[in-house]
């Protein structure tokens, strides 16, 4: 449950950044979300049984990495408009 929650929160940061920086395009945010889910599903068969937890930690690490990059590169611009 832990890695899934971390991945979900980080993914929300990424998706919201895309939405607000894509002229509030829900379609663009939806497309990126769909692409991320598709990519994630393509790697899931590599992690079967007990290693499924590893899959969610890798997913969390990727999402946190992208969210951290967004915050580091756009820190001051992330303030409320």
């Amino acid at each position: 449950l832990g890695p899934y929650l971390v991945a979900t929160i980080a993914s929300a940061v990424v998706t919201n950044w895309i939405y607000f920086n894509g002229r509030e395009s829900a379609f663009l945010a939806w497309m990126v979300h769909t692409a991320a889910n598709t990519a994630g599903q393509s790697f899931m068969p590599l992690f079967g049984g007990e290693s499924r937890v590893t899959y969610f930690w890798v997913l969390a690490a990727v999402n946190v990495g992208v969210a951290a990059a967004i915050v580091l590169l756009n820190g001051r611009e992330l303030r409320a408009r």
Side-chain angles (χ1 to χ4, degrees):
L1 183 64
Y4 178 76
L5 290 175
V6 170
T8 301
I9 292 168
S11 177
V13 170
V14 173
T15 304
N16 278 289
W17 182 82
I18 289 168
Y19 172 77
F20 286 110
N21 286 282
R23 297 186 198 146
E24 298 183 7
S25 169
F27 180 73
L28 181 60
W30 174 72
M31 289 299 293
V32 170
H33 179 77
T34 301
N37 282 349
T38 302
Q41 290 295 320
S42 67
F43 287 105
M44 190 176 279
L46 301 175
F47 300 91
E50 298 271 333
S51 66
R52 188 60 53 94
V53 174
T54 304
Y55 165 78
F56 282 107
W57 278 116
V58 170
L59 180 68
V62 169
N63 280 294
V64 167
V66 173
I70 288 171
V71 170
L72 289 173
L73 295 173
N74 301 287
R76 292 179 184 227
E77 296 173 19
L78 294 176
R79 296 181 185 185
R81 297 175 196 201

